[in-house]
Amino acid sequence: MSSDKQVALVTGGNRGIGYELVKQLALNSFKVILTSRDPEIGHEAAQKLKESNLDVSFMVMDVDDRQSIRQAAITVNDRYGRLDVLVNNAGVYLDENEKLLTMDPSILDKTMATNFFGAYHVIHSFIPLMEKQGYGRIINVSSGYGTMREMAVQGVGAYKLSKLSLNGLTQLVSAEVKGDIKINAVCPGWVSTDMGGPSAQRTPKQAAESILWLATIGPEGPNGGFFRDGKRIDW
């Protein structure tokens, strides 16, 4: 079933920044697919937004599971026949106060699996829908920790490497895509979420609003950039 409205999909949309992105996209007249690995929590989050008369639906997708990603892409194609905006928001932060060489290596494995490989496989599976219509906007939710200058400072090495890799992926894909398809990375700042903790002064709503513009940029908009609050960040 096709849709005249633009269709957006947000990974990890059941809470925090992802939930606010789903809400803000729906408020801006998108048909939004909220994805989560947890069926019960994801459905509950989507239902809450639907009760506010927002055009939101839920779909199970675990970004650590390639088959789950492929099946979600098939379902989106069958149900909507298009995907206009893809937000890679799902992420983990597992190594606070850990050093790269002394942490359990499984922390790096798990962090890269979600923050980098998860985003890669989501893009790989969904970009054909964008290529089919010659249009798409992909937003990778990254971090200032993913800049090269942060690699000279010890601490949170797994998270830093995963976001550095995600930023590299953003640039590489931007060089390969054709048509009016744009991919950019964005740093939401230090946000008061389960990941950011209660000390952060930036709200999920503020973070989501600072990201939303990349979903609606025109053909003259940036491609392959890294931004915070609409300003370009040096890689």
Side-chain angles (χ1 to χ4, degrees):
M1 181 179 69
S2 64
S3 170
D4 291 329
K5 294 176 70 173
Q6 285 198 318
V7 178
L9 183 146
V10 180
T11 68
N14 56 283
R15 63 182 181 178
I17 297 171
Y19 180 83
E20 286 295 329
L21 280 167
V22 171
K23 182 178 180 179
Q24 295 298 325
L25 284 162
L27 286 169
N28 280 270
S29 300
F30 282 88
K31 182 183 290 290
V32 190
I33 305 163
L34 183 159
T35 75
S36 168
R37 69 175 66 192
D38 188 307
E40 184 175 344
I41 294 174
H43 177 77
E44 191 175 296
Q47 189 60 36
K48 183 178 178 181
L49 292 171
K50 288 171 72 173
E51 289 171 359
S52 297
N53 294 318
L54 296 176
D55 194 349
V56 175
S57 60
F58 169 66
M59 189 175 297
V60 174
M61 186 169 73
D62 182 350
V63 301
D64 291 349
D65 183 336
R66 296 184 195 179
Q67 181 55 38
S68 173
I69 295 168
R70 286 193 291 266
Q71 185 55 56
I74 291 169
T75 302
V76 170
N77 185 50
D78 291 345
R79 189 174 298 172
Y80 305 106
R82 65 188 296 171
L83 184 65
D84 302 279
V85 174
L86 169 63
V87 183
N88 277 310
N89 167 74
V92 295
Y93 180 66
L94 306 175
D95 58 327
E96 187 174 6
N97 300 321
E98 296 270 7
K99 293 182 180 180
L100 192 63
L101 294 180
T102 55
M103 71 171 65
D104 187 322
S106 67
I107 294 175
L108 177 60
D109 292 341
K110 292 175 183 176
T111 302
M112 292 297 292
T114 299
N115 294 1
F116 173 69
F117 285 107
Y120 167 76
H121 289 297
V122 169
I123 292 170
H124 187 269
S125 292
F126 282 92
I127 204 165
L129 282 168
M130 296 180 171
E131 292 173 333
K132 181 172 67 173
Q133 64 183 3
Y135 176 88
R137 300 290 182 263
I138 302 172
I139 304 165
N140 291 329
V141 179
S142 186
S143 168
Y145 272 151
T147 59
M148 280 301 301
R149 62 180 174 272
E150 284 291 340
M151 301 306 117
V153 182
Q154 73 174 26
V156 294
Y159 185 75
K160 286 179 178 178
L161 283 174
S162 72
K163 293 302 186 179
L164 179 70
S165 300
L166 180 63
N167 289 345
L169 175 68
T170 302
Q171 290 187 292
L172 283 166
V173 173
S174 73
E176 294 184 6
V177 293
K178 293 179 172 60
D180 188 13
I181 300 174
K182 298 184 182 297
I183 176 169
N184 292 284
V186 60
C187 171
W190 187 21
V191 185
S192 181
T193 62
D194 289 349
M195 182 183 293
S199 298
Q201 296 181 351
R202 196 173 177 90
T203 67
K205 182 179 180 182
Q206 289 171 322
E209 289 173 344
S210 74
I211 294 169
L212 186 66
W213 68 280
L214 286 170
T216 57
I217 52 174
E220 74 290 343
N223 187 33
F226 184 24
F227 299 91
R228 178 175 177 179
D229 292 330
K231 297 178 181 179
R232 191 178 290 267
I233 302 174
D234 291 335
W235 297 101

